[in-house]
């Protein structure tokens, strides 16, 4: 006896057409799937703060994007503290300047090579438009910040977030530097980097007066701050900063010492927590094993009140 074979009905012509259409649809979806999914990373960012003789600061950001997919626009939202303002915004790429007039709504469309600026109250949005497809692109965003430097009688305090917490993707490497408005002697320039939990370092260069910062593996939503103090006499006026009467160096040193103590206390808490977590995970298991042993692991107690055992 031969095994039974299933009875197969011959498809009609309409069914064959539907099958071909379904195969074509599946093929088109497979081809378009990579185009629909897109992402980008930030391999590198380089920030230069150039202090003008009046205390204002020219900020130049070189932002390198690695695009996977098709992109047509990017934006920066720069938060401002009380007394700070931004002007002289420009965007360029490979030495070619983008033209103003681009739209500033997120997701809007403007011609390639344009940018726009909008004051959002407490922050400034810069939007630039381009065309990119599976490639690396480096954009240069520049602007001037007034009211950033605090100008005391003895020193100038420059404190700026060279990387903000508004980014939604990690940054592999950040470099930043401050260009002073004039020469300074070693020991006259001080630098700090915040926060302590970011993997990075600060340096004053070979001449002791060229502040630089480097940080790596910055997670999304993490800011990085650079603080530089230099002599007041390097400025010719205070019109571009905030004038504060009196000396400020001792106040700044006390504040940084307090920040360092807070960071050390937080690091000590993290170390203690790292030591206690393994213990906390072991103790409950040990207590449970002890309870099981006390309940089931020992020989049971037998009551025996006779002087000897009788033979069977």
């Amino acid at each position: 006896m031969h095994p039974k074979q299933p009875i197969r009905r011959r498809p009609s012509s309409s069914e064959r057409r539907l099958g071909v259409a379904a195969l074509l649809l599946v093929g088109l979806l497979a081809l378009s799937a990579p185009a629909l999914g897109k992402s980008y990373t930030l391999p590198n960012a380089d920030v230069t703060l150039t202090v003008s003789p009046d205390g204002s600061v020219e900020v130049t950001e070189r932002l390198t994007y690695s695009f996977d997919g098709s992109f047509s626009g990017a934006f920066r939202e720069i938060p401002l503290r009380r007394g700070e303002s931004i002007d002289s915004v420009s965007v360029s790429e490979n030495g070619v300047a983008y033209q103003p007039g681009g739209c500033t709504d997120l997701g809007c469309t403007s011609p390639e090579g344009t940018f726009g600026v909008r004051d959002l109250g407490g922050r400034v949005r810069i939007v630039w438009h381009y065309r990119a497809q599976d490639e690396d692109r480096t954009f240069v965003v520049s602007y001037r910040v007034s009211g950033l430097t605090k100008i005391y009688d003895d020193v100038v305090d420059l404190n700026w977030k060279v990387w903000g917490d508004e980014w939604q993707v990690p940054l592999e490497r950040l470099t930043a530097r401050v260009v002073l408005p004039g020469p300074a002697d070693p020991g006259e320039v001080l630098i700090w980097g915040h926060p302590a939990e970011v993997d990075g370092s600060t340096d004053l260069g070979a001449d002791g007066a060229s502040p630089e910062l480097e940080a790596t593996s910055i997670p999304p939503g993490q800011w990085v701050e650079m603080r530089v103090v230099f002599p007041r006499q390097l400025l010719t006026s205070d019109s571009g900063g905030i004038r504060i009467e009196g000396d400020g160096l001792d106040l700044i040193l006390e504040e940084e010492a307090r920040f360092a103590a807070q960071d050390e206390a937080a690091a000590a808490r993290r170390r203690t927590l790292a030591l206690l977590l393994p213990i906390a995970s072991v103790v409950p298991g040990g207590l449970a094993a002890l309870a099981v042993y006390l309940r089931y692991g020992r020989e049971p107690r037998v009551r025996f009140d006779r002087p000897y055992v009788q033979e069977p």
Side-chain angles (χ1 to χ4, degrees), residues 100-174:
C103 62
T104 57
D105 292 328
L106 299 183
C108 69
T109 301
S110 282
E112 180 181 357
T114 62
F115 76 97
V117 181
R118 178 189 292 185
D119 186 353
L120 299 175
R123 67 187 192 279
V124 172
R125 176 186 294 168
I126 305 172
V127 182
W128 62 97
H129 304 272
Y130 56 90
R131 296 290 184 271
Q133 176 75 46
D134 300 326
E135 58 184 320
D136 291 355
R137 301 277 287 271
T138 298
F139 306 100
V140 179
V141 181
S142 301
Y143 49 91
R144 181 176 62 185
V145 185
S146 298
L148 169 57
T149 55
K150 295 180 179 179
I151 305 173
Y152 295 89
D153 291 344
D154 56 344
V155 296
V156 179
D157 184 12
L158 168 58
N159 194 350
W160 183 251
K161 283 186 172 64
V162 291
W163 193 252
D165 58 4
E166 71 276 7
W167 295 94
Q168 299 178 359
V169 296
L171 174 63
E172 296 179 17
R173 182 172 181 264
L174 169 68

Side-chain angles (χ1 to χ4, degrees), residues 9-277:
R9 182 176 61 87
R10 186 177 182 180
S12 64
S13 59
S14 61
E15 290 173 331
R16 287 196 298 270
R17 287 194 297 270
L18 288 175
V20 172
L23 288 175
L24 289 174
L25 178 60
V26 170
L28 289 174
L29 290 175
L31 290 174
S32 62
L36 293 175
K38 61 181 184 178
S39 62
Y40 71 93
T41 59
L42 295 170
N44 186 67
D46 182 81
V47 181
T48 299
L49 309 177
T50 303
V51 184
S52 300
D54 66 351
S56 61
V57 180
E58 300 281 347
V59 181
T60 302
E61 302 176 348
R62 295 179 57 87
L63 308 172
T64 299
Y65 292 73
S66 182
F67 295 113
D68 182 8
S70 177
F71 289 83
S72 60
F75 74 98
R76 288 274 287 112
E77 286 192 357
I78 304 168
L80 298 175
R81 294 165 291 196
R82 182 183 298 273
E84 295 177 348
S85 62
I86 285 180
D87 60 10
S88 302
V89 178
S90 66
V91 179
S92 64
E93 184 182 5
N94 296 324
V96 179
Y98 280 40
Q99 299 302 310
C103 62
T104 57
D105 292 328
L106 299 183
C108 69
T109 301
S110 282
E112 180 181 357
T114 62
F115 76 97
V117 181
R118 178 189 292 185
D119 186 353
L120 299 175
R123 67 187 192 279
V124 172
R125 176 186 294 168
I126 305 172
V127 182
W128 62 97
H129 304 272
Y130 56 90
R131 296 290 184 271
Q133 176 75 46
D134 300 326
E135 58 184 320
D136 291 355
R137 301 277 287 271
T138 298
F139 306 100
V140 179
V141 181
S142 301
Y143 49 91
R144 181 176 62 185
V145 185
S146 298
L148 169 57
T149 55
K150 295 180 179 179
I151 305 173
Y152 295 89
D153 291 344
D154 56 344
V155 296
V156 179
D157 184 12
L158 168 58
N159 194 350
W160 183 251
K161 283 186 172 64
V162 291
W163 193 252
D165 58 4
E166 71 276 7
W167 295 94
Q168 299 178 359
V169 296
L171 174 63
E172 296 179 17
R173 182 172 181 264
L174 169 68
T175 52
R177 68 196 55 81
V178 172
V179 179
L180 301 179
D185 295 329
E188 292 183 333
V189 180
L190 304 174
I191 182 174
W192 293 272
H194 303 133
E197 57 265 25
V198 172
D199 185 12
S201 62
T202 58
D203 187 48
L204 288 172
D207 61 355
S210 299
E212 296 181 350
L213 176 145
E214 182 176 355
T216 57
S217 303
I218 302 171
Q222 177 61 64
W223 53 268
V224 178
E225 190 175 66
M226 185 179 187
R227 188 177 198 178
V228 173
V229 174
F230 58 90
R232 164 69 177 83
Q233 61 265 25
L234 297 186
L235 299 183
T236 58
S237 77
D238 54 17
S239 60
I242 297 178
R243 184 72 174 94
I244 301 177
E245 297 295 333
D247 291 343
L249 181 58
D250 290 340
L251 298 176
I252 295 169
L253 293 176
E254 291 174 3
E255 186 177 45
E256 287 298 328
R258 186 168 63 252
F259 289 157
Q262 294 171 354
D263 292 338
E264 180 57 32
R269 288 193 296 268
R270 289 193 295 269
R271 290 193 296 268
T272 302
L273 184 61
L275 291 174
L276 292 179
L277 280 178

